[in-house]
Amino acid sequence: MNINLNAVHFTPDQKLVDFASKKINKLDTFFEGVISAELTLKVVKPETVDNKMAELKLSIPSKGYLFAKKEADTFEEAIDLSTDAIRRQLTKFKEKLKEK
C-alpha cells in the first residue's frame, strides 16, 4: 500500500511518521484491496484543546475512497481515532461485498 503523509505548517518527527505508517498498514488486515492512503495532519486554532487534526483518505477499488477526519489532544490520538473510523467503514464495505 502506498502511504502519503502531509503535514500542514509543521514538519513531523520520524517517530510520528513511523507511528502513522504502522497504524495505516494495519488496515490491510481488514481489507486486502486497499490501493493507497493519504494522511493529512494539521494544527487547528493552536490556543484551544483538541487542536490536532488527522484526515485519512483511503483509496479502495470499485467504491472510490473512504474518508475520516478526527480531532484530539495529540496527533497520535487523532490518528488512532481516524484509523478506527476507517476500520469500521472497511468492515461495513466488506460485509456489503459479501452480500452481493
Side-chain angles (χ1 to χ4, degrees), residues 27 30 58 82-92:
L27 292 174
F30 297 101
L58 208 65
S82 60
T83 52
D84 284 347
I86 291 285
R87 182 185 49 79
R88 286 191 297 275
Q89 291 177 36
L90 278 173
T91 305
K92 283 183 183 179

Side-chain angles (χ1 to χ4, degrees), residues 1 21-34 37 56 58 82-88 90:
M1 171 184 1
S21 60
K22 185 175 111 180
K23 280 291 194 180
I24 293 171
N25 280 324
K26 281 185 182 178
L27 292 174
D28 256 347
T29 61
F30 297 101
F31 187 75
E32 292 79 29
V34 176
L56 183 59
L58 208 65
S82 60
T83 52
D84 284 347
I86 291 285
R87 182 185 49 79
R88 286 191 297 275
L90 278 173

Side-chain angles (χ1 to χ4, degrees), residues 10-100:
F10 77 98
T11 305
D13 61 346
Q14 190 59 41
K15 184 179 171 185
L16 182 62
V17 172
D18 292 342
F19 176 80
S21 60
K22 185 175 111 180
K23 280 291 194 180
I24 293 171
N25 280 324
K26 281 185 182 178
L27 292 174
D28 256 347
T29 61
F30 297 101
F31 187 75
E32 292 79 29
V34 176
I35 300 167
S36 67
E38 184 175 333
L39 178 66
T40 305
L41 301 174
K42 301 181 198 177
V43 177
V44 194
K45 299 179 204 160
E47 66 278 352
T48 62
V49 179
D50 289 347
N51 63 343
K52 309 290 191 299
M53 181 186 297
E55 297 177 350
L56 183 59
K57 182 178 178 180
L58 208 65
S59 297
I60 56 174
S62 75
K63 169 109 174 159
Y65 67 89
L66 301 174
F67 183 78
K69 177 179 176 180
K70 299 292 179 183
E71 290 183 19
D73 281 335
T74 64
F75 283 119
E76 289 84 357
E77 188 179 352
I79 292 168
D80 260 346
L81 292 172
S82 60
T83 52
D84 284 347
I86 291 285
R87 182 185 49 79
R88 286 191 297 275
Q89 291 177 36
L90 278 173
T91 305
K92 283 183 183 179
F93 177 68
K94 197 172 178 181
E95 286 174 5
K96 284 183 181 179
L97 283 179
K98 285 181 182 177
E99 289 174 1
K100 290 182 180 179

